[in-house]
Amino acid sequence: MKYEPVGVFDSGVGGLTVAREIMRQLPKERIVYFGDTARVPYGSKSQETIIRYSRQIIRFLKTRNVKAIVVACNTASAFALDTIQPELDIPIIGVVKPGAKIAAETTRSGKVGVIGTEGTIRSRIYTETIAKHDPNIQVMAKACPLLVPLVEEGWLKDKITVEVATRYLQPFLESDVDTLIMGCTHYPLLRSMLRRILGNQVNLVNPAYETARGLKRLLQDNDLVNDGKCTADGKHYEFYVSDAAEKFMEFANNILPYDIDNTQLIHIEEY
Amino acid sequence: MKYEPVGVFDSGVGGLTVAREIMRQLPKERIVYFGDTARVPYGSKSQETIIRYSRQIIRFLKTRNVKAIVVACNTASAFALDTIQPELDIPIIGVVKPGAKIAAETTRSGKVGVIGTEGTIRSRIYTETIAKHDPNIQVMAKACPLLVPLVEEGWLKDKITVEVATRYLQPFLESDVDTLIMGCTHYPLLRSMLRRILGNQVNLVNPAYETARGLKRLLQDNDLVNDGKCTADGKHYEFYVSDAAEKFMEFANNILPYDIDNTQLIHIEEY
């Protein structure tokens, strides 16, 4: 079982920032990545729909014999993880809890900010998860629905993106928030811009990084660490999408440390 | 048959601008509207996927006994209409051909512009349809992927939206284009802004308006005009979505001339 791959899924390309962290921190692990590009984005959809989509994806990943699952999508972590976890016989981890935990541990002002999609923010998942760590921490949350389309348009360093991000971040600048969670997997691609807008007083939390650390512990606890001799070269990574494989590969090759040359299309609705 | 409703579908809320024109121009017609809010947007998805989705939606609409179908989505009109038309035993009309026809007839400079989603522009459907009317017309097409999220964020009169639209429209301002097709159903909601950016030299074509006119002719030609006594009061309109019915109604009530108080959720994947 320990030589089987880790399944990683997201609504589209955003979860590649999580896959990238796993590749960096756990270079011996094989990965099967699924991006639901036919039904992206998840951020504006309802909980019921996200649970249905997540179940389909997990059924698909299990056909690839995954030993553990990473929900590399904040909306799916918020909406579906608690429902799906008891249905599974393999370990699963989302991006929300690791990000919330480090933010709760890091803040000194006791005020944490969260930015994300409409779905993630509406779910109040970060607010509730942080409250479980420390009910005295105040959480200020803001949906930033335009940041994903701006990243996907490729306007990563554009002045319009700066203007939009500055407007979204304004309430945090006028507050005592000292820790801001990038609660959407696309946002780390805007990290240096967000950093410039927020200044050095605010600590930026990247849940992708914390999730890869959490996965490492989860594999250790379940005796699932791949201790084989294989070295990372991009060949033990498999990519699947529900639509537009070419476009996915192009985006992936801008993000990942290895060039990928094969992405398979599957009909996720059949799972 | 003539007393049955017209089926109208779109990837989400955008097609309501088409439904609104049908309500205005054909007030006696009943409408069954379907918005595929679980899988929106279509603009970035592949032709194969859009055809599959459109077939499912048409199977659903036929369970509502529709007498004709309006594809109120530019991407689906571009990708799916020609494939689906021969499979049907009722008339169907899309938004592309009526918009392309009026643009070809209106231009004096012989240069027509088109703006739309990535999918619509990549399909070259407007370029090819205009060429069928007059091969001498030059078509300049540009994808504007951020305009839909900006409309859905509600930034309809915002200076950031002006900046984004101005950047997208710049190539048209530097050209002899005298007719610009708003090739996405969300864009008429930005009409006055686009008009200000373009000035009065450019004629803005709204395919929604032309499609309602085309539907009128299509119903006449097929002896399907509803000549009953019913008057428009919002009660002979039915709305269905694949997700987030509440949010849909809120948006619809900002656009439509009648308040709607009932939108039903259906599982479109089961059709």
Side-chain angles (χ1 to χ4, degrees), chain A residues 3 41-42 55 60 64 79 91 100 108 117 135 151 155 166 186 197 200 202-203 231-232 241 247 261:
Chain A
Y3 304 112
Y42 281 7
R55 283 196 181 116
F60 163 70
R64 312 304 304 155
F79 280 174
R108 293 180 180 199
T117 63
V151 167
W155 293 6
T166 303
H186 280 71
I197 296 169
N200 286 323
V202 179
N203 177 37
T231 49
V241 292
K247 202 177 139 196
D261 55 6

Side-chain angles (χ1 to χ4, degrees), chain B residues 75-219:
Chain B
T75 310
S77 298
F79 279 173
L81 187 59
D82 286 345
T83 305
I84 281 170
Q85 191 150 29
E87 301 168 0
L88 279 178
D89 55 357
I90 54 174
I92 185 166
I93 183 173
V95 287
V96 169
K97 283 173 198 170
K101 179 168 181 285
I102 198 80
E105 287 167 5
T106 309
T107 180
R108 292 181 181 197
S109 67
K111 289 187 182 152
V112 170
V114 185
I115 53 175
T117 63
E118 225 183 291
T120 302
I121 299 305
R122 199 161 12 95
S123 75
R124 295 180 47 85
I125 183 83
Y126 275 104
T127 307
E128 285 164 18
T129 311
I130 289 168
K132 279 180 200 157
H133 287 285
D134 183 345
N136 296 315
I137 295 175
Q138 285 179 35
V139 179
M140 181 188 265
K142 183 148 180 58
C144 305
L146 285 164
L147 295 186
V148 169
L150 283 162
V151 167
E152 299 207 336
E153 179 67 322
W155 293 6
L156 291 175
K157 293 171 193 290
D158 197 282
K159 77 180 182 56
I160 285 178
T161 311
V162 175
E163 265 186 272
V164 172
T166 303
R167 188 180 300 182
Y168 282 143
L169 295 179
Q170 199 56 40
F172 300 109
L173 291 171
E174 293 163 3
S175 75
D176 296 339
V177 162
D178 69 348
T179 304
L180 181 75
I181 301 172
M182 295 185 284
C184 169
T185 51
H186 279 71
Y187 298 173
L189 302 172
L190 297 173
R191 188 189 182 113
S192 58
M193 178 188 292
L194 301 177
R195 156 75 43 243
R196 263 199 315 282
I197 295 169
L198 290 166
N200 286 322
Q201 272 65 46
V202 178
N203 177 38
L204 267 180
V205 172
N206 180 359
Y209 180 83
E210 305 303 329
T211 302
R213 292 188 59 193
L215 174 65
K216 189 176 182 176
R217 278 190 302 272
L218 190 69
L219 294 178

Side-chain angles (χ1 to χ4, degrees), chain A residues 216-268:
Chain A
K216 189 174 181 178
R217 278 189 301 274
L218 191 70
L219 294 179
Q220 283 165 350
D221 293 348
N222 287 277
D223 194 24
L224 287 171
V225 176
N226 190 337
D227 51 12
K229 293 270 187 297
C230 66
T231 49
D233 60 359
K235 288 202 187 92
H236 54 290
Y237 302 131
E238 289 174 35
F239 297 88
Y240 297 87
V241 292
S242 49
D243 197 15
E246 280 297 319
K247 202 177 139 196
F248 176 88
M249 271 198 289
E250 199 180 305
F251 202 98
N253 285 333
N254 284 327
I255 292 183
L256 297 179
Y258 312 103
D259 267 4
I260 64 174
D261 55 6
N262 187 19
T263 300
Q264 272 180 267
L265 192 68
I266 59 153
H267 282 174
I268 192 66

Side-chain angles (χ1 to χ4, degrees), chain A residues 185-230:
Chain A
T185 50
H186 280 71
Y187 298 174
L189 302 173
L190 296 173
R191 187 188 185 117
S192 58
M193 178 187 292
L194 301 177
R195 156 76 42 241
R196 263 199 314 282
I197 296 169
L198 291 166
N200 286 323
Q201 272 66 46
V202 179
N203 177 37
L204 269 180
V205 172
N206 180 359
Y209 180 81
E210 305 303 329
T211 302
R213 291 188 59 191
L215 174 65
K216 189 174 181 178
R217 278 189 301 274
L218 191 70
L219 294 179
Q220 283 165 350
D221 293 348
N222 287 277
D223 194 24
L224 287 171
V225 176
N226 190 337
D227 51 12
K229 293 270 187 297
C230 66

